[in-house]
Amino acid sequence: MHCRLAAGSVPAIRRAAGARVALVLGVVVAFGCLPAAARTDTVGLRYDVALAPTGDARIDRTVERVSMLVALRDDETLPAFSLIARADADRLRIDDVLRSFGYYDAVVDVRIDDIALSDPTLLQVLAARAGEGAVSVAVRIDAGPLYRLGAVGTDWHVPPAAAAAFDLRSGEPAQARRVLAAGAAVRDALREDGFALARVPPPQVTVDHRTRTMDVHYAVEPGPRVSIGAIEVAGLERLREDFARRRLGLTPGDAYSPSRLEQARRDLLASDAVAAARITPASATDADGRLPLRIDVVERARRTIRLGGAFASDEGVSLSAGWEHRNLFGSAERLSADLEIGDIDGASARRFDYSAGLSLRLPDRRRRDLDIAFDLVTVSESLDAYDRDAITFGAALEQRISSRLSAALGVAFERSRIVEEGPAEDFRLFSLPLMLAWDGTDQPLDPRQGLRFDARVVPVPLVQGDRPSFVRTDLSAVGYLDLGRRSPVGKAFDEADGDDTRPPGPTVLAGRLALGRIVGAGADAVPADWRFYAGGAGSVRGYPYQSIGPRTAGDSPAGGDAAVEASLELRRRIAGPWGIVAFADGGAVARDGLQELGAFKIGVGLGVRFHTVIGPLRADLAAPLEPSPGDAPVQLYLGIGQAF
């Protein structure tokens, strides 16, 4: 075979137009010149890769993250031609990284076993090495001089908000990412200012290698400033259109704003009856110069059934079931029924303990985001501390103040019969619960980042008989910190940008703190079910349920008027859906105020998690550090969802 090699480009040169094409042609021609035996050899190669540092830690980190040689080095073996192609793709990818940092005259030299990629003998040499030890891939980078921005600007006098968004300045490093982001920022600012059809095409860029500067010029096409036109709502089945429009809060003639449209979409999604919503502006204005909108809605299944279960070695097995209708009358009214059956201590005189409840929620009463909720609950339980039969009815006004903050004010009536160590006592209580909740976590089922606060203050002004009124306060804070957020393979990330779109890391640190206090009456004067207890699942694992705190003369849990609990968990994903957890819980209960807290009991343990779409399945083993006589050395807990 007679071959004539084309003049291929050398990798270790200043990049010029046509370099990529020339190198590929050189490799293809070289492949065609190999003997047939070499071309059909299917034995693959393994390789080691070394990235020489550039002296800039940000560039080095980004290069390592985008390098497919690095990301795929532990995968299966690959043919020699594929290794050369991967190395050349990395050379171009790394050059793009350098340009994004403002280095437009860089040298990226990639060699395999110290042979340049453009060497026509490389493919034949690697084919001969197939089946032997790993070959070495070395990447050396000379970033060259840093280029800076020269003349920058647009060809249109943009409004002040859009002008402020264009934050390129002469003399700054000519980073491609910043240049492109400036154009996107101008476009977004124009649209936010009502120019819904604004376009900002890619900039005209001129790189002067003599002065090492880059001139950037944007041609802005703002279009007209518009307001919202006719609004079409599509996809509704049982949900009433007037309810959907009220949730959206949009009116024809309102100023156009993408952020306002997104907020309207989120407001609609806040309804339990809506699974998905999309707002699509028209591509042109109507005859009145307004921009029509189309809202596509996907409704949730109207009825759902929930099943659940849990096990704790100190409490026994519990099973739960629930039924819910998400759209009872067409305006997202929610009716739900719940039943839980359990054997709390495993030795109850009754066969089962149970809790049954019925609730109705009426959304957007009188005003948007103001809900009315009614709840009816009946309970029968036998605990170490007391036996209780009760029925409770409550009604509350719940206001969503923002997407994260909500508040509620309610009234509740409770009738109960409680047996401690003496004769049974009957109680009739009237209470005024006040609640405030803030949720800044990233997801509801398995949070990995953020904080959550809950405050509940319940005045009980009326208690049957001569018992005094009292106020119970519960405060809790939960925090989550992702310790290992990382950048996706093949994508760059510059920490200086504050980019938080990286996928989650494998490790999460979670903490919980809870405080409780009753004022206005001593613990003995408060009904037993309103006192504070600690120990067990959801409290201090490792200790039996309600076992931490003061005891009665008969050695039963007495409860207290103050309590504190704290938990710390280190959660780590190890393989696929599997994860492990190390945790420590602690708590104490006082009989007479926080200043009289008893011993702070601590339990430690390990757990396993199997992550599913409905949340993790949980198994925890916990041991008490200061067990009381008769306490088991280890407690087992099984359930659905994280411990907190």
Side-chain angles (χ1 to χ4, degrees), residues 28-101:
V28 171
V29 173
F31 179 76
C33 295
L34 282 177
R39 294 198 305 270
T40 58
D41 188 357
T42 59
V43 180
L45 290 164
R46 292 194 175 277
Y47 66 89
D48 298 319
V49 59
L51 302 176
T54 64
D56 187 322
R58 294 184 309 158
I59 294 178
D60 292 342
R61 286 193 298 267
T62 307
V63 166
E64 184 174 357
R65 287 166 180 152
V66 305
S67 171
M68 302 308 293
L69 286 169
V70 172
L72 303 177
R73 60 185 164 189
D74 295 328
D75 286 8
E76 71 279 357
T77 60
L78 69 165
F81 182 79
S82 297
L83 176 58
I84 295 173
R86 183 179 294 177
D88 185 49
D90 253 19
R91 181 180 64 87
L92 303 176
R93 188 178 288 109
I94 292 170
D95 189 70
D96 288 339
V97 168
L98 294 167
R99 287 172 174 253
S100 73
F101 280 92

Side-chain angles (χ1 to χ4, degrees), residues 313-314 345 384 542-545 547 551 555 601 624 626-635:
S313 52
D314 61 329
D345 62 3
D384 283 348
Y543 291 86
Y545 185 68
S547 65
R551 314 289 292 187
D555 199 33
K601 298 294 187 72
E626 300 178 62
S628 298
D631 286 353
V634 175
Q635 300 282 357

Side-chain angles (χ1 to χ4, degrees), residues 11-12 23 27 45-50 69 78-91 108-130 133-140:
L23 177 59
V27 172
L45 290 164
R46 292 194 175 277
Y47 66 89
D48 298 319
V49 59
L69 286 169
L78 69 165
F81 182 79
S82 297
L83 176 58
I84 295 173
R86 183 179 294 177
D88 185 49
D90 253 19
R91 181 180 64 87
V108 182
D109 182 15
V110 183
R111 292 176 177 266
I112 304 178
D113 272 358
D114 206 30
I115 302 175
L117 296 184
S118 61
D119 192 319
T121 66
L122 176 60
L123 189 61
Q124 190 169 3
V125 170
L126 294 181
R129 287 284 309 274
V135 299
S136 63
V137 180
V139 181
R140 291 185 291 273

Side-chain angles (χ1 to χ4, degrees), residues 246-310:
R246 187 165 66 251
R247 289 297 311 161
L248 287 165
L250 299 174
T251 304
D254 289 349
Y256 178 90
S257 164
S259 64
R260 179 66 189 88
L261 297 187
E262 175 59 20
Q263 184 58 52
R265 189 186 73 87
R266 292 178 180 272
D267 289 342
L268 182 58
L269 284 174
S271 165
D272 290 335
V274 178
R278 180 179 61 191
I279 300 180
T280 306
S283 58
T285 57
D286 59 18
D288 297 325
R290 296 179 174 182
L291 194 67
L293 302 177
R294 176 185 171 93
I295 292 90
D296 292 284
V297 178
V298 178
E299 295 185 18
R300 290 184 184 273
R302 290 193 290 275
R303 300 173 184 85
T304 60
I305 295 176
R306 302 182 302 275
L307 299 174

